[in-house]
Amino acid sequence: MNFKFNYDKKKEFDKKNFIHLLKDIWVYLFLGLILADFFNIFEFYTNSYKMSVSFASKLLIFANIVGAILAFIIMYNGMKKKSSAVDFWELEIKDDCLVSKNSVATRTYNFSDFKKFKKEKDSITFYLKGLNRFYINWDCFYDSENLKSELENIASRIKK
């Protein structure tokens, strides 16, 4: 069964994808900031720099805020650029696999590779081996109710 992407909902799709990206990456961003802070504190408190503790703390907090804002802007712009390159998007559900087709690439996901899933109000995420995930927001497709029931059927076949 084929499902075509509804381009009238492209802004909603971009917003949901960005939020989903942030959910996936916030832990790594936070750990990166802590690691950078550790090295910066070590560097500030050596004899090379003669800074007061309050100034060094304020500098690190400012650098963290600016770094996080820049990271969010870069991620959002990258996601927008990547999604603007897609001219069409189609999702095909077969008996044993799910095929995602767009103008950039075609990817096949075998149902046997799905390890678990997480269902939300308007989307579902299938987890594959390792850190791989396949996120589908069914509200952004034509015939979304039928797609939702098909994806729930696939999710019910995943062994827990």
Side-chain angles (χ1 to χ4, degrees), residues 29-30 32-34 36-37 40 56-75:
L29 182 65
F30 185 69
L33 285 175
I34 289 175
D37 286 347
N40 285 330
S57 301
K58 290 175 186 175
L59 185 63
L60 285 177
I61 291 171
F62 177 75
N64 285 342
I65 291 170
V66 169
I69 290 170
L70 285 176
F72 291 145
I73 290 170
I74 290 169
M75 284 187 289

Side-chain angles (χ1 to χ4, degrees), residues 23-34 131 133:
K23 284 181 187 178
D24 289 345
I25 207 164
W26 75 269
V27 172
Y28 304 113
L29 182 65
F30 185 69
L31 289 175
L33 285 175
I34 289 175
L131 296 176
R133 298 171 186 166

